[in-house]
Amino acid sequence: MNPLRHVFSAAAVATLATALIPAHAQGVIKIGEINSYKAQPAFLEPYKKGMELAVEEINAKGGVNGKKIELITRDDNANPGDAVRVAEELISREKIDVLTGTFLSNTGLAVADFAKQKKFFFLAGEPLTDKMTWQGGNQYTFRLRPGTYMQAAMLVPEAVKLKKKRWAIVYPNYEYGQSAVAAFKQLLKAAQPDVEFVAEQAPPLGKVDAGSVVQALADAKPDAIFNVLFGADLSKFVREGNTRGLFKGREVVSVLTGEPEYLDPLKDEAPNGWIVTGYPWYGIQTPEHKAFFLAYHNKYKDYPRLGSVVGYTMIKSVAAGAAKAKSTETPKLVAAFEGLQVDTPFGKILYRPEDHQSTMGAFVGKTKNDNGKGVMVDYQYFDGAKFQPSAADVKKSRTAD
């Protein structure tokens, strides 16, 4: 017998055996993450940096359950079908342990349904439609950011204080925009029964014809405007609205506009006095936020955006859940996430057992054009736990569970 042949065979067998061991047994926890990186870079480039910072911090402390975290990201082309295809690929080919991510609400819902069919754990970081955790919620899906109902519930008391009767509405015509408008209308009507909605403009996402939209809103002569546009659509709307005087003498309530991703690009066109949700990173003085800001700034030589906080907190949540479960097996991870508490740059949050929605909140304040730069002023942090429907209402709405 050739001894070299025997040695080679033994080595080959050992290599093959190692290759067949599941990834989670090799000292690595694989987090598969799907997002619309090419379509929504303003939010998702800082978001990815936030994720990478969290992975670096966790691994520097020895990982989770003695295993290092590995992050595998994929682009979904802002398309629900592609998102599901990529999710399948991450599970079957990359052998991921946990599925995370998505930005657009329609892609998020598609991946949530996929997770339900596959019985695979999914933590959605960003999609804001209420169907993620309520009307379409399922036992395998959790969501980090406050959804459209929660954000509307934070803004409506400020809208009521304006004492305006005639409202116009503008929103991107897809799942997120529709969900945000439905929540705002419901809550404002309940708080101010005499309110009238005199105009609605719903351009396709990313394709706003700002001139015609602004003119249609102006023609309706509203007292106030509820705006749900973001990104490039928002920039076009603000520019055209400033040019045509739409905002003069009118109050504006605007979801997301205070996020630096969308406020910073407005520069000297940034509006004054809009009531917004956002992220005033320059003014948050809590110890947990200061620590996050310094770590982020030291690594990237840049200031964080809200996406940075979301990406960072999402990965920290997975780590906390896996540590509590002492596993990444879906049933154990689901059980661990129900009631899970996580330390974040905004303070401690909890994932509610009844709907898998986190209690992460949002900052509410007003925009100000500060020497050609948009900032938030007069802001405060609203704890998400105070702006969620009751457990009984959640139970009624989760028909898909």
Side-chain angles (χ1 to χ4, degrees):
M1 180 178 181
N2 186 338
L4 288 178
R5 182 181 177 186
H6 175 71
V7 170
F8 173 77
S9 299
V13 169
T15 300
L16 180 61
T18 301
L20 292 174
I21 297 172
H24 61 261
Q26 296 183 34
V28 174
I29 293 174
K30 286 189 174 185
I31 299 177
E33 195 275 339
I34 304 168
N35 241 307
S36 307
Y37 290 103
K38 292 192 291 286
Q40 300 289 340
F43 191 95
L44 292 171
E45 287 175 6
Y47 162 94
K48 191 172 185 181
K49 290 178 178 177
M51 287 196 299
E52 290 169 347
L53 174 62
V55 169
E56 184 179 280
E57 290 181 356
I58 293 162
N59 287 344
K61 293 180 180 178
V64 180
N65 303 331
K67 298 176 182 179
K68 295 295 180 73
I69 287 179
E70 180 183 343
L71 182 64
I72 304 170
T73 63
R74 293 288 186 271
D75 200 296
D76 60 23
N77 298 312
N79 180 286
D82 285 355
V84 169
R85 178 184 55 76
V86 171
E88 177 66 65
E89 178 186 298
L90 284 168
I91 292 172
S92 61
R93 191 180 303 173
E94 299 291 347
K95 309 297 182 187
I96 61 167
D97 298 285
V98 181
L99 186 61
T100 62
T102 67
F103 176 87
L104 298 172
S105 288
N106 51 352
T107 58
L109 288 176
V111 175
D113 185 65
F114 168 83
K116 178 185 175 185
Q117 304 305 324
K118 289 288 184 177
K119 297 181 169 58
F120 200 86
F121 180 91
F122 171 46
L123 174 58
E126 174 65 19
L128 301 183
T129 175
D130 292 330
K131 291 178 183 175
M132 287 299 300
T133 50
W134 296 331
Q135 299 97 323
N138 68 70
Q139 63 180 304
Y140 301 102
T141 297
F142 291 75
R143 199 239 317 263
L144 171 60
R145 274 202 73 182
T148 51
Y149 177 95
M150 292 169 67
Q151 295 206 33
M154 295 173 190
L155 289 168
V156 161
E158 304 305 312
V160 171
K161 291 175 188 175
L162 301 175
K163 298 181 179 178
K164 301 299 181 184
K165 185 176 180 179
R166 294 169 55 83
W167 284 80
I169 292 174
V170 56
Y171 61 97
N173 194 13
Y174 79 113
E175 178 60 38
Y176 157 66
Q178 295 159 7
S179 182
V181 167
F184 183 79
K185 280 183 170 181
Q186 172 196 339
L187 293 169
L188 185 60
K189 194 77 176 173
Q192 186 183 334
D194 70 339
V195 70
E196 296 176 11
F197 297 101
V198 298
E200 280 193 23
Q201 288 291 302
L205 176 64
K207 298 178 181 177
V208 64
D209 180 351
S212 62
V213 165
V214 166
Q215 191 59 54
L217 295 178
D219 289 346
K221 297 181 169 52
D223 303 322
I225 298 167
F226 179 58
N227 167 62
V228 192
L229 300 176
F230 62 93
D233 287 345
L234 174 67
S235 296
K236 293 172 185 174
F237 175 66
V238 169
R239 181 174 300 119
E240 200 66 33
N242 285 337
T243 301
R244 300 187 183 217
L246 175 65
F247 310 127
K248 286 183 180 177
R250 289 194 176 98
E251 305 286 355
V252 179
V253 175
S254 191
V255 192
L256 311 183
T257 301
E259 296 177 14
E261 289 90 331
Y262 312 129
L263 188 56
D264 290 356
L266 299 179
K267 298 180 180 176
D268 60 357
E269 295 179 312
N272 281 302
W274 285 21
I275 298 170
V276 297
T277 60
Y279 173 44
W281 58 268
Y282 32 80
I284 306 169
Q285 299 301 320
T286 61
E288 53 266 35
H289 186 266
K290 284 182 178 178
F292 166 74
F293 173 83
L294 287 173
Y296 190 92
H297 188 269
N298 289 340
K299 181 172 176 62
Y300 298 112
K301 304 299 182 280
D302 194 7
Y303 57 90
R305 278 67 165 181
L306 186 62
S308 315
V309 178
V310 173
Y312 180 87
T313 303
M314 188 181 72
I315 298 300
K316 291 282 189 172
S317 295
V318 172
K324 181 182 174 185
K326 297 182 172 59
S327 171
T328 53
E329 294 175 16
T330 287
K332 294 179 181 178
L333 206 51
V334 167
F337 255 79
E338 293 185 342
L340 178 70
Q341 293 190 23
V342 183
D343 293 319
T344 84
F346 291 170
K348 197 176 292 291
I349 64 169
L350 178 142
Y351 286 88
R352 300 205 314 174
E354 57 265 39
D355 55 9
H356 297 180
Q357 171 64 50
S358 102
T359 58
M360 184 180 191
F363 287 88
V364 175
K366 292 185 176 180
T367 57
K368 180 183 178 181
N369 190 319
D370 187 10
N371 295 314
K373 180 176 173 57
V375 296
M376 276 182 75
V377 296
D378 302 330
Y379 52 81
Q380 60 176 316
Y381 182 71
F382 286 8
D383 181 357
K386 298 176 181 177
F387 298 91
Q388 295 176 319
S390 68
D393 286 341
V394 164
K395 190 173 183 180
K396 289 177 193 172
S397 72
R398 281 176 70 95
T399 54
D401 204 350

